[in-house]
Amino acid sequence: PGDHILVEEYSFTAALDSIVSLGLKVHPMPMDEHGVDPGKLSALLSTLASQGIHPKAMYTIPVGQNPCGSRLPESRYHEIYALARAHNLFIIEDDAYFYLQHSCKGLEGLGPSYLSVDQDGRVLRLDSFSKVLAPGFRIGWVTGSQRLVQAYDSLTYCSSQSGSSLSIMLLGKLLDDTWGGDPHDPFGTGFALHVEQVQQLLGQRCRALVEAVETHLGDLVTFSPPSSGLFLWLTLRDHLPDLPPPSQFAEFMRLHQVAVLPGHSCAALGLLENSHDHAPPPSSLCGTSFATTATPPRRSLRLSFVGNEAEFDVAASRLRTLLLACCSTASGEE
């Protein structure tokens, strides 16, 4: 408790909840459509250092970022890793969507990771089978230096006590007996072929959702089509008012029978007031912070394209009706 940690401006809600429960002090990392912005991150770290604040780690989702869907360019891995070395930061690389890059062919062309550029043993990489095989498995693996993996192993012993033994046995049988047990290719060619099928399916569904959003919401929102992961991030156009407060927006979703994740649910900025005893205003905290480099939390939405693409057109149409109803309500309150 009391340690400082960097997280992306918008991040995985369960990770944010865990950070808060541990009593950590949160600092949002500025992002753009490609993920964490190295230049603005450098400015943030310099500002924090001038205040005597030295974060110990950064938590990041570089590929198929949840919730924004961005994919970090190769050059940024090197730039951000250099900042981590300069400021003595550990990197927690949560790459659950690494294999879900829509234009890749199985395990080919997946690109770098922070682990692949790690020179000091400061990266702990988290991978998951849940996104590529079955969510019910809830099984993943960690990779990193011996000291980090040992520390992680000790933590799991007194928390999750590892995954389900039955799931692990079933997974082992699938990877070894069904998909091959070549020691030079431990997952076997079957795994690569399966990943390729998932990539193709998600790419197809992503394109279908993008088309539905362009058709029904093009005049209301902006977005960058994702190339990986499961999510499409929408931002309201400037002429629209902010979304209503959470409870009111939930009621709008119930009435219009459409479910999306409001951006404020994933916003690290919202944790600042709770995680800092005497937090300065975001703009003075970061210099080029969330408040000046990104849209406010109540102007964004996360959509998922994992469902049945035949329903995307109807869903986008309902979302349009919902947003217009929100605008009408906001206009009536002015």
Side-chain angles (χ1 to χ4, degrees):
D3 285 343
H4 296 257
I5 187 170
L6 298 161
V7 298
E8 287 145 337
E9 287 177 337
Y10 294 100
S11 191
F12 178 37
T13 52
L16 296 177
D17 290 341
S18 296
I19 288 168
V20 170
S21 70
L22 293 170
L24 302 180
K25 296 182 183 295
V26 178
H27 299 277
M29 294 186 288
M31 300 172 65
D32 59 18
E33 69 272 19
H34 303 296
V36 175
D37 185 315
K40 292 174 181 176
L41 175 59
S42 178
L44 166 60
L45 288 167
S46 296
T47 300
L48 293 176
S50 70
Q51 300 172 357
I53 298 173
H54 303 282
K56 289 190 174 180
M58 69 167 64
Y59 170 80
T60 181
I61 308 170
V63 179
Q65 203 270 349
N66 182 2
C68 297
S70 57
R71 202 276 185 242
L72 197 70
E74 181 173 356
S75 62
R76 293 194 182 186
Y77 282 95
H78 298 277
E79 295 177 70
I80 294 171
Y81 184 80
L83 290 172
R85 296 187 77 185
H87 292 269
N88 196 26
L89 291 164
F90 287 104
I91 298 176
I92 304 169
E93 181 178 27
D94 187 355
D95 231 353
Y97 310 98
F98 181 70
Y99 294 98
L100 307 184
Q101 299 184 52
H102 309 157
S103 60
C104 289
K105 186 175 182 180
L107 307 184
E108 298 177 8
L110 292 171
S113 68
Y114 284 113
L115 186 68
S116 69
V117 302
D118 188 14
Q119 303 175 41
D120 306 327
R122 66 178 64 251
V123 176
L124 183 68
R125 178 178 170 81
L126 313 178
D127 284 279
S128 175
F129 285 110
S130 296
K131 303 298 185 290
V132 293
L133 289 180
F137 267 135
R138 312 308 297 171
I139 294 174
W141 69 99
V142 300
T143 316
S145 64
Q146 185 176 12
R147 62 170 177 158
L148 291 180
V149 172
Q150 286 179 341
Y152 179 89
D153 186 54
S154 298
L155 180 62
T156 61
Y157 178 77
C158 61
S159 57
S160 66
Q161 294 196 339
S162 302
S164 162
S165 297
L166 178 60
S167 295
I168 292 172
M169 290 176 61
L170 291 172
L171 179 63
K173 285 288 186 181
L174 175 64
L175 295 177
D176 191 22
D177 295 351
T178 304
W179 283 343
D182 184 346
H184 301 292
D185 183 15
F187 288 167
T189 56
F191 179 73
L193 291 174
H194 171 78
V195 168
E196 183 177 356
Q197 291 176 337
V198 174
Q199 290 165 342
Q200 292 176 349
L201 177 62
L202 289 176
Q204 175 181 316
R205 291 183 176 177
C206 177
R207 291 188 291 273
L209 181 58
V210 166
E211 182 178 351
V213 168
E214 288 176 336
T215 298
H216 296 283
L217 299 165
D219 59 331
L220 303 181
V221 302
T222 62
F223 63 91
S224 296
S227 63
S228 54
L230 309 174
F231 308 115
L232 177 63
W233 184 250
L234 307 182
T235 301
L236 298 182
R237 290 189 179 273
D238 292 341
H239 68 278
L240 296 181
D242 287 356
L243 296 171
S247 59
Q248 188 177 356
F249 188 74
E251 180 62 16
F252 273 111
M253 288 194 291
R254 187 189 68 81
L255 290 173
H256 294 278
Q257 296 186 310
V258 61
V260 297
L261 183 66
H264 63 262
S265 300
C266 319
L269 180 68
L271 304 179
L272 283 173
E273 294 181 357
N274 297 324
S275 66
H276 293 268
D277 295 332
H278 302 287
S283 57
S284 64
L285 173 70
C286 301
T288 51
S289 72
F290 183 101
T292 56
T293 63
T295 55
R298 281 170 54 189
R299 296 193 63 79
S300 300
L301 301 167
R302 190 199 76 176
L303 278 57
S304 172
F305 45 83
V306 297
N308 182 0
E309 61 192 85
E311 299 177 353
F312 291 169
D313 192 71
V314 172
S317 177
R318 290 181 181 178
L319 183 56
R320 177 183 181 83
T321 304
L322 181 155
L323 292 178
L324 292 176
C326 290
C327 293
S328 177
T329 299
S331 299
E333 293 175 350
E334 293 177 356

